[in-house]
């Protein structure tokens, strides 16, 4: 892993680790000074907890706030908890509003109150404002660094105003047009300003056919809109149409990455903020819950097998073949489940088209069942010289592959309706279904036809 990091990001992980272990802290400080904030954040993510503490102390205080922006909660929170409230307030004050909110939400209440007290009045007001929006909403994701103009001002006046500013907010492609009450009424692109006659009014060149983002919209929906319309930035308004701020593409990229990590990690029962170098006890606690759930489902499948104990005693070959059917059902069901969860995440799967999707996956289950049941029947019949045994496993394979397709669609839809994350719970429920159906179909049919 260190070699990969060096190759892809040109971060001298081995050299830094050697210098740290040798106590060459001045050399490490000099190396850190030549690195970008994002690279330092990657270095912290790639280091054990003790090394992180030392590295953080060697980072120039002028860029600590930039590094904090790039850290996950699992890495950032322990660092902040070891800093004085005044230092945390100083670092947090330089963050964008959305990152500022993330930092504050990650603090324990007692620490948050101390940090808030150490802030000046302006930052206290800002903290209360950004914390007023629920996490994972557009309001929590937005920044307030917008440039607003009035509709009755000329293009020439706006161009002169922009030239007087030292810089524009990052990813500025539009200026937002508001009335005297800050009600959002339109937007004007920088391209339109540069190419329009300077005597024209903003009301003549602004766009009124636009999509705005309510502050209460979920951040996943915001990401879908950015993808659909290829936005670089978009305005955020409250329920009264008042302009609150804007969301930029760099924040949306973070949402997309976090959603992808969440889906991937949830399927393994892990927190999407899981720290690779977290202490063993902490990681064990997090993973034990998931292992306990899996143990319960395994016991459930074992209980179903025990119902056919006498059958297994009489035909030992069934015990050998008993794992094939549940295994095939599990793989087929996982394929469907992954496809449906991904479709739900990007907004492709809805209640309106779920019935069609269910029919499609049942058909796939039938065709796959037909192909593989014929194949396994032939293999078993030749291997064990028993055509009836081949027919039994073929029937069980067909039933389980159809059940897997059905469960792969219905489970995520039902979990979403129950407000449960399908990525987190779907795979466990699916495995339980395919194991029980596979075992019951195989051993039940064998008991009926062979004993």
């Amino acid at each position: 892993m260190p070699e990969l990091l060096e190759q892809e990001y040109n971060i001298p992980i081995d050299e830094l680790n050697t210098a740290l272990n040798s106590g060459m802290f001045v050399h490490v400080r000099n190396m850190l000074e030549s690195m970008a904030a994002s690279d330092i954040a990657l270095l912290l993510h790639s280091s054990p907890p003790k090394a992180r503490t030392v590295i953080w102390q060697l980072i120039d205080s002028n860029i600590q706030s930039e590094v904090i922006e790039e850290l996950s909660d699992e890495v950032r929170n322990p660092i902040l908890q070891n800093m004085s409230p005044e230092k945390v307030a100083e670092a947090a004050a330089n963050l964008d509003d959305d990152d500022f909110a993330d930092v504050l939400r990650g603090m324990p209440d007692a620490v948050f109150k101390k940090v808030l007290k150490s802030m000046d009045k302006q930052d206290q007001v800002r903290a209360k404002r950004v914390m007023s929006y629920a996490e994972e909403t557009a309001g929590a994701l937005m920044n307030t660094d917008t440039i607003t103009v009035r509709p009755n001002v000329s293009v020439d006046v706006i161009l002169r105003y922009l030239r007087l500013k030292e810089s524009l907010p990052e990813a500025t492609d539009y200026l937002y047009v508001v009335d005297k009450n800050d009600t959002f009424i339109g937007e004007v692109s920088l391209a339109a300003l540069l190419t329009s006659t300077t005597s024209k009014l903003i009301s003549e060149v602004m766009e009124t056919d636009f999509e705005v983002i309510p502050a209460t919209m979920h951040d996943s929906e915001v990401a879908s809109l950015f993808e659909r319309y290829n936005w670089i930035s978009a305005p955020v308004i409250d329920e009264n149409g008042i302009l609150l701020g804007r969301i930029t593409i760099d924040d949306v990229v973070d949402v997309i990455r976090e959603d992808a990590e969440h889906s991937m990690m949830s399927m393994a029962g892990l927190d999407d903020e899981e720290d690779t170098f977290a202490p063993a006890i902490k990681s064990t606690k997090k993973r034990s819950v998931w292992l306990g759930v899996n143990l319960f489902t395994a016991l459930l499948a074992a209980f179903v097998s025990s119902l056919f104990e006498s059958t297994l005693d009489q035909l030992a070959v069934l015990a050998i073949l008993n794992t094939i059917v549940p295994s095939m059902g599990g793989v087929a069901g996982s394929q469907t489940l992954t496809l449906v969860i991904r479709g739900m995440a990007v907004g492709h799967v809805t209640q309106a088209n779920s019935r069609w999707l269910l029919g499609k996956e049942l058909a796939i289950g039938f065709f796959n069942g037909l192909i593989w049941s014929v194949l396994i029947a032939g293999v078993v019949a030749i291997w064990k010289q028993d055509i009836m045994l081949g027919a039994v496993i073929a029937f069980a394979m067909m039933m389980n592959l159809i059940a897997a397709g059905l469960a792969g669609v219905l489970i995520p839809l039902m979990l979403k309706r129950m407000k449960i994350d399908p990525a987190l719970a779907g795979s466990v429920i699916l495995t339980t279904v395919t194991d029980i159906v596979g075992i019951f179909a195989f051993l039940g049919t064998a008991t009926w036809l062979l004993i």
Side-chain angles (χ1 to χ4, degrees), residues 28-76:
V28 174
R29 185 191 294 275
N30 292 335
M31 293 179 70
L32 292 172
E33 286 177 356
S34 65
M35 293 169 62
S38 56
D39 290 338
I40 296 174
L42 181 61
L43 173 64
L44 288 167
H45 279 111
S46 308
S47 304
K50 287 184 179 179
R52 287 174 187 164
T53 303
V54 177
I55 292 169
W56 181 256
Q57 292 171 350
L58 297 173
I59 297 171
D60 189 334
S61 59
N62 293 326
I63 66 165
Q64 282 186 343
S65 61
E66 296 177 43
V67 176
I68 286 173
E69 285 186 62
E70 305 291 337
L71 298 176
S72 67
D73 290 346
E74 289 287 326
V75 177
R76 179 172 57 205

Side-chain angles (χ1 to χ4, degrees), residues 105-420:
R105 285 193 180 95
M107 297 177 184
D109 287 343
V111 178
F112 169 69
K113 289 175 182 176
K114 289 180 182 178
V115 171
L116 197 62
K117 282 182 181 178
S118 64
M119 290 179 173
D120 58 33
K121 292 293 181 184
Q122 185 177 355
D123 282 330
Q124 286 182 12
V125 171
R126 180 177 169 228
K128 291 174 182 176
R129 183 183 68 242
V130 298
M131 294 289 284
S132 65
Y133 299 103
E135 197 172 1
E136 297 185 346
T137 63
L141 191 64
M142 72 177 183
N143 291 309
T144 55
D145 58 347
T146 57
I147 298 179
T148 59
V149 296
R150 296 290 173 82
N152 56 350
V153 179
S154 70
V155 170
D156 181 53
V157 170
I158 298 303
L159 288 174
R160 282 190 279 117
Y161 163 70
L162 292 177
R163 289 190 191 103
L164 290 173
K165 295 177 73 67
E166 292 183 2
S167 62
L168 296 180
E170 218 173 300
T172 296
D173 57 336
Y174 280 91
L175 309 185
Y176 299 130
V177 187
V178 297
D179 62 16
K180 61 181 180 180
N181 298 316
D182 283 334
T183 301
F184 184 76
I185 56 177
E187 55 189 16
V188 56
S189 69
L190 292 179
L193 285 175
L194 293 172
T195 56
S196 297
T197 305
T198 55
S199 59
K200 282 187 175 182
L201 296 178
I202 293 297
S203 58
E204 297 177 77
V205 298
M206 73 179 187
E207 300 174 22
T208 55
D209 182 18
F210 52 81
E211 291 279 346
V212 292
I213 298 175
T216 55
M217 179 180 284
H218 196 278
D219 59 9
S220 294
E221 294 179 54
V222 173
S224 295
L225 288 175
F226 267 76
E227 181 187 12
R228 192 182 312 160
Y229 297 113
N230 296 317
W231 287 337
I232 295 175
S233 67
V236 179
I237 60 169
D238 67 8
E239 64 274 9
N240 298 315
I242 304 297
L243 179 68
L244 299 175
R246 68 184 185 126
I247 294 173
T248 53
I249 185 63
D250 57 316
D251 297 317
V252 172
V253 169
D254 289 340
V255 172
I256 294 169
R257 177 180 54 78
E258 287 166 7
D259 284 349
E261 287 180 357
H262 172 75
S263 296
M264 181 181 69
M265 300 288 274
S266 292
M267 286 185 175
L270 298 174
D271 187 347
D272 51 318
E273 293 282 355
E274 178 81 15
D275 179 9
T276 307
F277 295 95
I281 298 298
K282 184 178 179 182
S283 296
T284 301
K285 287 179 181 178
K286 287 186 175 182
R287 300 184 195 185
S288 291
V289 175
W290 193 253
L291 291 172
V293 172
N294 276 275
L295 178 60
F296 173 76
T297 59
L299 288 172
L300 197 59
F303 172 74
V304 174
S305 293
S306 71
L307 298 176
F308 302 97
E309 192 170 349
S310 60
T311 302
L312 292 169
D313 286 340
Q314 294 180 59
L315 280 175
V317 68
L318 297 179
I320 299 171
L321 302 174
N322 191 35
T323 58
I324 296 175
V325 176
S327 175
M328 288 291 287
V331 172
S334 294
Q335 291 173 337
T336 303
L337 183 74
T338 302
L339 183 72
V340 173
I341 290 175
R342 183 254 181 193
M344 292 168 67
V346 298
H348 295 171
V349 177
T350 63
Q351 290 295 327
N353 58 25
S354 58
R355 191 170 291 182
W356 185 93
L357 184 62
L358 180 63
K360 173 201 166 186
E361 292 300 328
L362 280 174
I364 292 172
F366 173 78
F367 291 129
N368 270 331
L370 198 61
I371 294 167
W372 297 109
S373 61
V374 170
L375 181 63
I376 193 65
V379 170
V380 170
I382 295 170
W383 179 22
K384 296 300 178 182
Q385 299 295 304
D386 190 335
I387 294 176
M388 187 59 73
L389 180 60
V392 167
I393 198 170
F395 173 77
M397 183 77 76
M398 172 69 80
M399 292 299 101
N400 205 24
L401 288 178
I402 292 174
L406 184 68
V409 176
L410 290 181
I411 288 171
L413 292 174
M414 290 171 59
L415 289 174
K416 187 176 182 182
R417 185 173 292 183
M418 296 165 63
K419 308 295 183 185
I420 300 172

